[in-house]
Amino acid sequence: MRGLVLEGGAMRAGFAAGALMALMDKKLADFDAAAAVSASVPTLAYFAAGQRKEMEKIWRDELTSPKLVCYQNIPATSLALSVKRPILNVDRLVYDIFQKRYPFNSSALLANKMACRFSAATVPEGKQIFFNPTESDIYDVIRACLAIPGFYPAPISINGSEYVDGGIANPLPLPGVPAGKTARVLVILTKPTDCEDEPPNFLERALFWRYFHKYDWMLKSLWEAAQIYNSQVSQLETYFHHPENVEN
């Protein structure tokens, strides 16, 4: 089996999108399993559905819009948590752009042999879970996977449970690809390997103090996720330079 793992990272995930488009152009899109987190979740869905044109249009034309990142809502963030005034307009991105303007080809997505897994984190446990395209409404699932703590002011409810961006549990969704069954895994990182992941700094905590006050467990989860990420990247570097050490 061949696996594919995509790091997120907000606008940095455009690198992963470009890499996937290059794979599609070279007819190298044949994977058995794939996992993505955060901003790379919708990219993986378009990739699995074979919608290269839509993927490029979104990244080139839609994600550069000032309607996506709402800087005017920054002052309100520290005063009240309201989905009507998010810094990141996830609802517009999911329902206006993904669902209305560039809808997923659901039949092609489900027909693809590649098992897609979309990373999210449970609230309040902070546990990493994986959705697949057949669970619930795919647009609701993607909305949950994009609910970045602080930037989007509330968890997303699906089937009676609440979820946020899976990056708070693990910014690199390697567990989404079954290690024991996968002979080779292509991991696409969106930042240099010498750039360690870190929990929110003082300014970020100050900006989103009301959010983190309500979800006080999340700072600890983000700290632990940063340590997990750094450990995983270190392992990947070891495997890359010493492939003979890879057992599976």
Side-chain angles (χ1 to χ4, degrees), residues 162-221:
E162 293 189 322
Y163 304 93
V164 292
D165 185 325
I168 74 156
N170 189 344
L172 189 59
L174 285 172
V177 173
K181 299 180 180 179
T182 310
R184 294 184 178 181
V185 179
L186 171 62
V187 181
I188 301 179
L189 303 178
T190 61
K191 57 184 177 183
T193 55
D194 60 356
C195 182
E196 294 190 344
D197 201 47
E198 298 180 354
N201 58 38
F202 175 79
L203 290 177
E204 290 169 328
R205 293 198 303 270
L207 176 61
F208 301 124
W209 74 270
R210 187 174 293 276
Y211 182 93
F212 290 126
H213 178 72
K214 182 174 182 180
Y215 306 106
D216 56 353
W217 55 271
M218 202 171 286
L219 283 172
K220 180 182 178 182
S221 181

Side-chain angles (χ1 to χ4, degrees), residues 22-99:
L23 290 175
M24 296 172 83
D25 291 344
K26 294 181 178 297
K27 311 298 183 185
L28 297 173
D30 188 20
F31 294 91
D32 299 290
V37 66
S38 195
S40 286
V41 166
T43 295
L44 176 57
Y46 283 112
F47 176 74
Q51 294 176 272
R52 187 205 182 285
K53 182 186 299 184
E54 289 83 349
M55 193 192 310
E56 183 169 2
K57 287 287 290 183
I58 289 170
W59 275 103
R60 285 189 181 276
D61 301 335
E62 303 294 347
L63 299 186
T64 56
S65 168
K67 294 180 180 180
L68 176 61
V69 181
C70 309
Y71 295 103
Q72 70 272 18
N73 288 340
I74 290 179
T77 299
S78 61
L79 299 177
L81 300 178
S82 171
V83 294
K84 294 182 179 180
R85 293 183 296 181
I87 294 179
L88 183 65
N89 197 340
V90 171
D91 293 351
R92 177 181 180 273
L93 179 62
V94 173
Y95 297 119
D96 290 348
I97 296 177
F98 295 157
Q99 187 175 43

Side-chain angles (χ1 to χ4, degrees), residues 98-169:
F98 295 157
Q99 187 175 43
K100 293 181 181 179
R101 299 190 62 184
Y102 304 97
F104 295 114
N105 185 337
S106 298
S107 58
L109 176 59
L110 297 178
N112 193 324
K113 71 165 188 175
M114 180 173 64
C116 292
R117 307 193 76 193
F118 306 139
S119 176
T122 59
V123 174
E125 299 85 3
K127 178 182 178 182
Q128 183 179 42
I129 64 97
F130 291 94
F131 288 103
N132 65 60
T134 63
E135 289 184 77
S136 191
D137 179 87
I138 188 170
Y139 297 101
D140 292 342
V141 167
I142 288 177
R143 181 172 172 240
C145 295
L146 296 179
I148 302 174
F151 288 89
Y152 190 81
I156 305 301
S157 179
I158 298 177
N159 299 328
S161 298
E162 293 189 322
Y163 304 93
V164 292
D165 185 325
I168 74 156

